[in-house]
Every structure is written in C-alpha cells, then in structure tokens.
C-alpha cells in the first residue's frame, strides 16, 4: 500500500458532477495529496471515490471517501455543493437557500484547521465566497472563489484561435462579478508585451462577438448535456495545486479587494497562505463603469449576509 501524502484536499459535494470532476482532475494532474470526496449523499461519495481511486495507481495522489470532520482538517477545502436555480426562481431566493447550505457545511467542518484555505466553486461564487468567509471565521486571504478563471480560459482559447499564439502567452482577463456583470478588460490585455488590440489579426475582430460567445458557451453545454464540469474541475484542481505548492501564480479568482471593499473576480497571486497580493488593473472609462456596476451588485447582496 502506498504511503498517504502529506497534503490533504477535500472536495465538498464530491458526489456530484463538478465535485467528482475536480477530485479526478487533482489525481490526473499528479497533485501529491490525499483527496477526500465528501458529500451528504454518502453512497454517491463512496462510488465516486472508489472510481477515482482506480485512476491513482500510477499517480502520487490518493483518493477516498471522507467525513466532514476530516475535511475540516484539510489543507485545502473545495466547495462544489449548493442548490441549483429552479425555473423562474428569483436570484435572491437561490442565494438564501445557498446561504443555509454553506452555513451548514461550515458548521459540519468545525473545528476548521486555522491554516486551511477554502476554495468556493458553487454559484453565485462571488457572494458565496463572502458567505464562506463570514461563516468559517477564516481570514479573508484564506477564502477565495474560482471566479472568472474558467471564463478567462475560454477568452484566451478564443484569442489563441484568432492570433495563433498559445493561450498561456495571452494575458487577458474576464473581470468583475462572475455571470451577468462580468466584462473583458480589453484595454489591459497584452500579448508579447504589447497591447493585444494592436495585434494585426485583431484589427477587424468584433470584440462584442467574442464576449457573447464566451457568455453563451456554458448555456450551450448545459443544453446539450445538462451541466458543465470538466472545465471548472480542471480550474479548481489547478487553483488547489497553486495553494499547496506556493506557486504565486496570478489567477482571476474571487478574492477580497481592499480598494473595492468586497469580494470580486480580480487578478491575484495565489500561494500557500492564500491570496498573496491583488493587482491594480488599468481600465478605460467604459470598463471602469462596468466595474462599478459589478461592485455595486455584489455589495448590495453581500451586505445582507454580514
């Protein structure tokens, strides 16, 4: 029997599609951690853990079903559990239901390891990250959300197809509130040290079309197969890896931005202490107005859960 890794990552809601995809991605990426699949649906958690463990025989990580109490002592706690929005359900009602779920999870995790980092994946992720921080009692820098990381990946993939440059060499971000109030920071986007929009292949590109296609993609996937989980699974696993390995990589994640006074999807360097630093992004006037809309929308909701 292989030795148990020193690090532990727990996936709350691991019995579902997003949680299972996240747990599998952690193993497939070769993250040297004990991955715990935790869910109130015990049988589903057991089945996912057994299946994923079959993929770990040639990887440094291990996978098993875990308890909420064990999860509370993890180095990284990934939360993928939450209520889905019902047809015609007001967003405020969905948030109220998810508040109760997140509060119940945090109560079940107690006592939470003081150095643990919480990664919120469930939506609405900006608001739920705020709620997770309040109900967990952990410092703000140790509680983050997946935010617009996946949306940014979709953006860079689209730009890569246009420019012929690797997505990893394109520095462009989706920012703001993940969802309706997110926007592209075109004026700050760079490629090879130069403004992205100066690239010759970007000359006649309709930027609104790129944004619309990114917004539409999730709905296309949901309409075709019911839900999205592979993309967000690899994003969550990558963020957990950065937290464990102290990589100081910059990601557009939900983090508490002091200058805004709220949690927001914004570029931040991620390391073993959580958020190491958040960055000032230079936006033009139109983008700044979109940012203000996102800040106000998030604050209006978060103020109800202080």
């Amino acid at each position: 029997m292989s030795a148990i890794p020193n690090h532990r990552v727990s996936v709350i809601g691991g019995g579902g599609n997003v949680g299972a995809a996240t747990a599998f991605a952690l193993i497939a990426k070769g993250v040297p951690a004990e991955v715990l699949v935790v869910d109130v649906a015990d049988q589903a958690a057991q089945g996912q853990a057994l299946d994923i463990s079959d993929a770990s025989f040639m990887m440094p990580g291990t996978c098993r079903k875990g308890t909420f109490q064990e999860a509370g002592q993890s180095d990284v706690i990934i939360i993928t559990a939450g209520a889905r929005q019902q047809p015609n359900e007001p967003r405020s009602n969905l948030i109220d239901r998810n508040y109760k779920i997140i509060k119940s999870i945090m109560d079940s995790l107690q006592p939470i390891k003081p150095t643990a980092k919480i990664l919120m994946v469930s939506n609405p992720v900006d608001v739920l990250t705020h709620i997770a921080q309040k109900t967990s009692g952990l410092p703000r820098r140790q509680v983050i959300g997946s935010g617009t990381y996946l949306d940014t990946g979709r953006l860079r993939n689209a730009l890569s197809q246009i420019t012929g440059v690797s997505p990893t060499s394109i520095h462009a971000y989706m920012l703001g509130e993940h969802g309706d109030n997110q926007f592209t920071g075109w004026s700050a986007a760079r490629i090879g040290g130069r403004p992205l929009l100066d690239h010759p292949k970007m000359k006649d590109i309709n930027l609104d079309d790129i944004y619309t296609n990114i917004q539409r993609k999730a709905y296309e996937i949901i309409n075709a197969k019911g839900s999205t989980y592979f993309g967000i699974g690899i994003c969550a696993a990558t963020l957990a890896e950065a937290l464990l390995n102290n990589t100081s990589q910059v990601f557009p994640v939900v983090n508490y931005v002091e200058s805004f006074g709220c949690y927001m999807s914004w570029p931040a360097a991620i390391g073993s202490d959580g958020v190491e630093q958040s960055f000032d992004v230079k936006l033009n006037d139109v983008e700044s107005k979109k940012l203000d809309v996102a800040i106000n929308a998030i604050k209006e909701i978060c103020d109800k859960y202080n």
Side-chain angles (χ1 to χ4, degrees), residues 210-282:
I210 295 177
Y211 175 84
T212 300
N213 289 335
I214 291 170
Q215 292 288 81
R216 185 187 300 146
K217 188 170 185 180
Y219 295 106
E220 290 180 357
I221 296 171
I222 292 170
N223 288 337
K225 57 180 279 188
S227 61
T228 66
Y229 39 89
F230 291 125
I232 189 59
I234 199 72
C235 287
T238 301
L239 293 172
E241 187 177 31
L243 291 167
L244 290 175
N245 294 339
N246 195 31
T247 65
S248 299
Q249 290 172 273
V250 176
F251 300 97
V253 294
V254 178
N255 65 106
Y256 190 86
V257 184
E258 292 288 347
S259 58
F260 302 154
C262 66
Y263 271 97
M264 169 76 67
S265 292
W266 202 251
I270 304 300
S272 58
D273 291 329
V275 175
E276 295 180 342
Q277 54 182 311
S278 189
F279 296 90
D280 181 24
V281 181
K282 300 299 182 183

Side-chain angles (χ1 to χ4, degrees), residues 56-120:
S56 68
F57 72 94
M58 54 181 173
M59 296 296 180
T62 63
C63 183
R64 66 176 175 86
K65 186 188 78 170
T67 67
F68 282 91
Q69 289 72 30
E70 289 177 311
Q73 296 305 302
S74 300
D75 298 291
V76 179
I77 304 167
I78 305 175
I79 301 177
T80 66
R84 292 185 180 182
Q85 191 165 13
Q86 301 300 318
N88 301 318
E89 180 183 21
R91 189 166 183 262
S92 58
N93 189 65
L94 173 66
I95 295 171
D96 283 339
R97 290 199 292 132
N98 272 319
Y99 171 81
K100 295 174 183 176
I101 291 172
I102 299 304
K103 177 67 166 60
S104 175
I105 289 172
M106 293 305 159
D107 290 343
S108 298
L109 293 174
Q110 298 295 338
I112 298 175
K113 186 177 180 180
T115 58
K117 268 67 67 178
I118 293 176
L119 170 59
M120 178 61 65

Side-chain angles (χ1 to χ4, degrees), residues 12-35:
I12 310 298
N17 288 335
V18 174
T22 299
F24 175 73
L26 286 162
I27 295 298
K29 281 175 62 66
V31 178
E34 179 187 37
V35 179

